[in-house]
Amino acid sequence: MTLVLHDEGGTGQPILLLHGLMGSSRTWRRQVPWIREFGHVYTFDAAGHGRPAPSELTTEAFVDDLASAVASIEEPMIVIGHSMGALHAWCFAASHPEKVCALVLEDMAPDFRGRTAADWAQMISAWPQPFASEDAMKEFFGPVAGQYFLDSFDRRDDGWYLHGEVSTFRDISEEWGTRHFWDQWKAIDVPTLLIEGEFTITPEGQMREMAERPGTRYVRIADAGHLVHDDQPQRYREVVTEFLQTVS
């Protein structure tokens, strides 16, 4: 049986880390040591990322899968999510309010309607797999995204391979272009930190609009792309530490 929830150690308040699209639990390994100072840390591998995807690729199906994985954690959690993981975090909080006491949401917005992932998926399909070495990965993707994918891809004898189906990743993203998630956002009332990179993928102004909800703080981090926590790790650590000190 594939292990999907990983106990990263620590004591006290449970803290759950959710990765982004095409990521894995391992993409948090540089943050786990200092986050562990604030509680008992868990990481999670989303369905479709190194394990079978739900039969229906809806956000609700992914949230249901997450809920099953964390059912044994009885105390309300601080949930920290990046991109897709951020969306799943607040949708999980909306559907299971008793399970979540605070949120950290990185570079994700509620409404991408009108966008398509078709060209993006075609580009992924053309990636030169397998990547023969770590250097080849970092040369192709750049140092930040290259490390993200090194942490995520499947390593085999002849190199690194994508750890899921392109069609799955495409369809996850395509759903975001057909609906919005404002209702789920407005349904929650826990303390929340919103983090947006200067070079964000989110529609302009949406995360600031999210921050109009009471109990929400918004921080825009300069010189950061979509992978804020790896692009500007020290600044990310500072703002998350400040938040965790207030809610732990």
Side-chain angles (χ1 to χ4, degrees), residues 90 105 108-111 113 180-183 185-186 192 194 196 202-220:
W90 87 67
L105 308 176
M108 190 61 178
D111 190 353
R113 283 178 294 178
H180 70 79
F181 298 90
W182 280 112
D183 293 342
W185 169 247
K186 293 175 181 178
T192 301
L194 303 176
E196 187 172 30
T202 64
E204 179 62 33
Q206 283 196 26
M207 293 195 77
R208 288 192 183 92
E209 185 176 349
M210 293 171 73
E212 294 174 3
R213 194 208 69 175
T216 306
R217 182 189 176 202
Y218 167 85
V219 177
R220 188 176 181 92

Side-chain angles (χ1 to χ4, degrees), residues 27-208:
T27 60
W28 290 110
R29 62 187 179 86
R30 288 167 292 283
Q31 285 73 41
V32 164
W34 62 263
I35 294 175
R36 197 186 288 127
E37 298 172 12
F38 296 95
H40 191 157
V41 178
Y42 298 87
T43 57
F44 174 73
D45 286 307
H49 295 67
R51 64 186 181 96
S55 57
E56 295 186 6
L57 296 177
T58 64
T59 296
E60 287 78 9
F62 283 96
V63 169
D64 287 346
D65 176 78
L66 170 62
S68 295
V70 301
S72 63
I73 303 175
E74 297 181 354
E75 185 178 352
M77 296 173 283
I78 298 170
V79 185
I80 299 176
H82 166 247
S83 191
M84 178 189 76
L87 173 63
H88 292 174
W90 87 67
C91 290
F92 175 64
S95 59
H96 298 81
E98 76 287 355
K99 301 289 286 187
V100 179
C101 62
L103 293 166
V104 177
L105 308 176
E106 178 188 347
D107 222 55
M108 190 61 178
D111 190 353
F112 287 86
R113 283 178 294 178
R115 295 193 182 185
T116 177
D119 291 343
W120 169 78
Q122 188 174 24
M123 177 190 69
I124 295 171
S125 296
W127 285 353
Q129 298 185 72
F131 291 90
S133 67
E134 293 188 15
D135 287 344
M137 290 276 278
K138 291 181 178 179
E139 182 177 352
F140 188 82
F141 295 110
V144 175
Q147 187 60 61
Y148 180 84
F149 288 130
L150 279 167
D151 291 337
S152 303
F153 280 25
D154 289 331
R155 185 175 184 179
R156 305 176 193 171
D157 290 342
D158 57 343
W160 280 262
Y161 288 82
L162 192 64
H163 59 309
E165 299 296 328
V166 174
S167 59
T168 297
F169 298 141
R170 179 199 64 210
D171 290 349
I172 291 170
S173 183
E174 284 283 297
E175 186 210 22
W176 305 337
T178 65
R179 57 184 294 201
H180 70 79
F181 298 90
W182 280 112
D183 293 342
Q184 292 88 338
W185 169 247
K186 293 175 181 178
I188 62 177
D189 60 3
V190 297
T192 301
L193 171 64
L194 303 176
I195 299 174
E196 187 172 30
E198 178 180 1
F199 308 109
T200 180
I201 66 163
T202 64
E204 179 62 33
Q206 283 196 26
M207 293 195 77
R208 288 192 183 92

